Amino acid sequence: MAERARVGSGAPWEASVGYSRAVRVGHHVVVAGTTATAPDGTVFCPGDAHGQALAVLEIIERALARVGASMADVVRTRVYLVRIEDFDAVGRAHGSVFGEIRPASTMMQVAGLVDPAHLVEIEVDAIVDDTAE
């Protein structure tokens, strides 16, 4: 059985809800739905979907790195928007990171997220090809 590696980001809900920011099993990495939340619970870039998306992508990038993966390994993203009119702003942030990588992606509107200040939540799946190591 493949070893399981788990990392947290310090988000306040990880311990109380019982989940990890990222889990790697073998070549597969799954990053939980991620919002623009600091470890102290404050929300980065209130009211700014583009800024929140960039903050989310930075949190995801750090989580991937901690399990030996990178944004280049991402094969799928799921983007949840509270306001569908933020599609362009969040899409620009997504494209600034994934424009060359081009993972499969879904973007959808949801009724709300855990904190009303959250405008966007992103989760990713990655497959690490470490055969070259």
Side-chain angles (χ1 to χ4, degrees), residues 55-132:
V56 166
L57 292 166
E58 288 176 12
I59 293 167
I60 289 171
E61 185 172 34
R62 286 193 301 270
L64 288 169
R66 291 182 60 204
V67 294
S70 73
M71 294 301 229
D73 298 314
V74 171
V75 296
R76 176 151 180 77
T77 67
R78 291 170 198 85
V79 181
Y80 305 97
L81 302 173
V82 173
R83 305 179 312 211
I84 199 66
E85 61 267 22
D86 289 331
F87 169 82
D88 287 332
V90 173
R92 277 195 326 276
H94 188 278
S96 72
V97 172
F98 293 114
E100 296 296 318
I101 301 164
R102 307 280 298 268
S105 185
T106 301
M107 191 176 295
M108 67 196 93
Q109 183 174 1
V110 296
L113 298 170
V114 171
D115 185 319
H118 293 145
L119 300 176
V120 60
E121 183 168 328
I122 302 172
E123 58 185 49
V124 306
D125 300 327
I127 299 174
V128 181
D129 179 13
D130 50 9
T131 58

Side-chain angles (χ1 to χ4, degrees), residues 31-58:
V31 179
T34 303
T35 58
T37 305
D40 68 1
T42 59
V43 176
F44 297 112
C45 307
D48 176 7
H50 182 263
Q52 284 191 20
L54 290 173
V56 166
L57 292 166
E58 288 176 12

